[in-house]
Amino acid sequence: MGNAQDKPPGSGGGGGRPDQATAGSGTRNRGGGGAEKPQAQRASGKGVANGSQRGNSPAGGQEERGSPAVDTSYLDAPAGALPPHLGRLKNAGNRLFKHGQFADALQKYTQAIDGCAEAGIDSPEDLCILYSNRAACFLKDGNSAECIQDCTKALELQPYSLKPLLRRAMAYESLERYKKAYVDYKTVLQMDTGVQSAQDSVHRITKMLIEQDGPQWRENLPEIPAVPLSVQLQHRDKPISAEVAQARAARAVAEEARLKDARFTLLKREGNDLVKKGHFQEALEKYNECLTLKPDECSLYTNRSICHLKLNRFAEAKQDCDSALQMEPANKKAFYRRALAHKGLKDYLLASSDLQEVLQLDPNVREAEQELEVVTGLLRQSLMDSTAHTPRV
């Protein structure tokens, strides 16, 4: 049995082999009810499937008469300690499950389970897998009661087996037996904290139980078994599949991005609040932190330029506005604040040019119009002063 694939309850559809990936809790019912438990002898008859007459293959599978030969080599794959004829039934069930044929897969697993009883085979690990796989079929078919029974049998054979626990938890949850579901999910997480579906379900069920039983909801829970340390270490040391590793890595990246966005939003809000209160140095530090998270955020440069202007750091303010205009060449705020920086640096000609840019972008910016009048007066005065101090020849 491989690692459980992290799928939430209710995720129907096909999937990998049930002894390699846990099945989601399907809600699809066949023929107006739960999946009927088939008998082993049904495989011996002939039937019609998709309009084609079929007969039994030596492997216990089915092959169409007159159709091209089908590769059945997968049936001979190793199947634990099961004898060949039962191993082929298990492998056939895995193949059917993978292709979404849950009722047919269920039949194969049932034949294998009955075959073990008839042959007197007592292999707890193999029987646990068969019951767990059949439980996955019941779960996919919306037959939660049968799923719970098979998972319980599997756990009697192999206590603290992760997949039967997870599938039983999903089945309990689908039946709204939330206390039992909670206990099984928490037991799963003792063995593998990385099962995301169990984590999500625990959070979801906790809210339901608080609403249902109030602050003392824990007192009404069945006892949560303590998973032995040896079992926990066994699951931690078990190599995970590439698919599970990839899913975990993707979740880690998504979580890191979420935390980064949350941190950025908080810092920017704090910076904006400090500007409103006139605490410009503290606000500038908040914007600096923001820029370490998102250095390409244009608004941070225009916001930080305000702080520099208020602190009379005109060269720094100009530099921030230059950076903003490289990102957004038509940014009115950047042109306006750079004009104020040029004014502080007494470069009235460039200040006038930036203010005219603002008014070309939006003639209704009253502040730019008023500032242009002031800057024009300062430019005229500076030119007069320059002329007055020029020696006559």
Side-chain angles (χ1 to χ4, degrees):
M1 296 178 63
N3 287 289
Q5 182 180 352
D6 302 339
K7 288 187 180 180
S11 62
R17 285 166 47 184
D19 59 347
Q20 290 184 338
T22 187
S25 171
T27 56
R28 184 170 51 87
N29 290 320
R30 297 185 299 110
E36 182 183 353
K37 192 172 182 180
Q39 299 299 320
Q41 61 266 29
R42 290 188 184 178
S44 62
K46 295 181 179 180
V48 178
N50 298 325
S52 300
Q53 187 73 19
R54 293 189 178 188
N56 292 327
S57 71
Q62 292 178 325
E63 54 188 19
E64 295 186 12
R65 294 180 179 177
S67 62
V70 178
D71 180 14
T72 59
S73 58
Y74 66 91
L75 295 170
D76 296 315
L82 294 176
H85 71 289
L86 298 179
R88 290 164 76 84
L89 285 169
K90 176 190 170 185
N91 291 336
N94 293 346
R95 180 83 164 195
L96 290 164
F97 188 95
K98 180 179 179 180
H99 288 87
Q101 297 171 264
F102 307 121
D104 292 335
L106 188 150
Q107 182 174 336
K108 296 299 180 187
Y109 295 137
T110 299
Q111 290 174 2
I113 291 169
D114 292 346
C116 287
E118 293 168 3
I121 295 171
D122 185 17
S123 172
E125 183 176 358
D126 290 307
L127 284 168
C128 174
I129 292 173
L130 288 171
Y131 278 114
S132 179
N133 288 0
R134 190 169 71 174
C137 297
F138 283 130
L139 194 60
K140 284 289 189 180
D141 232 6
N143 193 337
S144 297
E146 294 273 18
C147 174
I148 290 168
Q149 288 184 20
D150 271 3
C151 288
T152 301
K153 289 177 184 175
L155 290 165
E156 289 171 356
L157 292 161
Q158 292 278 94
Y160 303 111
S161 182
L162 191 145
K163 289 181 181 179
L165 270 170
L166 184 58
R167 289 165 183 164
R168 189 172 70 176
M170 292 175 175
Y172 277 139
E173 185 176 0
S174 70
L175 293 175
E176 300 183 5
R177 296 166 68 177
Y178 297 122
K179 294 183 178 69
K180 287 183 175 292
Y182 182 91
V183 169
D184 278 353
Y185 281 130
K186 291 292 283 186
T187 307
V188 166
L189 290 173
Q190 287 184 64
M191 292 185 279
D192 187 349
T193 58
V195 182
Q196 189 64 40
S197 62
Q199 293 180 7
D200 295 342
S201 296
V202 164
H203 293 315
R204 183 170 57 250
I205 292 174
T206 298
K207 294 178 182 178
M208 295 178 182
L209 292 176
I210 291 174
E211 292 177 2
Q212 178 180 304
D213 298 337
Q216 289 77 36
W217 64 277
R218 292 183 185 275
E219 299 175 6
N220 299 323
L221 287 174
E223 183 179 357
I224 299 174
V227 177
L229 180 60
S230 60
V231 176
Q232 296 182 39
L233 293 175
Q234 178 185 353
H235 281 277
R236 289 172 191 169
D237 295 339
K238 186 181 295 184
I240 61 175
S241 67
E243 182 180 344
V244 172
Q246 186 177 6
R248 289 184 181 178
R251 282 198 303 273
V253 170
E255 179 64 12
E256 183 180 357
R258 186 190 69 79
L259 293 174
K260 181 178 176 181
D261 284 341
R263 176 71 176 157
F264 173 84
T265 301
L266 176 62
L267 287 169
K268 186 177 181 183
R269 185 185 303 122
E270 289 175 349
N272 293 346
D273 290 341
L274 287 166
V275 167
K276 292 175 183 177
K277 294 175 183 178
H279 303 316
F280 302 110
Q281 181 59 45
E282 293 89 336
L284 187 148
E285 292 169 2
K286 295 293 182 182
Y287 294 138
N288 286 342
E289 287 188 65
C290 285
L291 283 167
T292 63
L293 298 173
K294 293 188 179 183
D296 297 328
E297 185 78 16
C298 181
S299 63
L300 292 175
Y301 292 97
T302 55
N303 287 3
R304 193 171 67 172
S305 69
I306 296 175
C307 302
H308 287 310
L309 288 169
K310 294 295 184 180
L311 295 169
N312 294 326
R313 299 173 184 170
F314 302 116
E316 291 89 340
K318 174 188 175 300
Q319 187 175 357
D320 274 351
C321 292
D322 288 342
S323 298
L325 288 167
Q326 286 179 355
M327 299 177 198
E328 296 181 12
N331 190 305
K332 291 185 295 184
K333 290 182 179 179
F335 274 120
Y336 180 75
R337 290 167 190 172
R338 191 170 70 174
L340 297 180
H342 284 310
K343 177 184 174 185
L345 294 169
K346 298 183 179 181
D347 193 336
Y348 305 122
L349 183 60
L350 287 178
S352 174
S353 176
D354 279 347
L355 290 168
Q356 291 177 46
E357 287 285 352
V358 174
L359 293 170
Q360 281 188 350
L361 292 168
D362 186 354
N364 298 317
V365 180
R366 181 64 178 163
E367 295 91 336
E369 190 175 336
Q370 293 173 343
E371 195 64 40
L372 182 59
E373 292 179 7
V374 173
V375 167
T376 300
L378 290 171
L379 176 60
R380 185 180 300 112
Q381 184 63 46
S382 67
L383 291 173
M384 291 173 61
D385 292 345
S386 176
T387 302
H389 290 88
T390 301
R392 294 182 180 178
V393 179

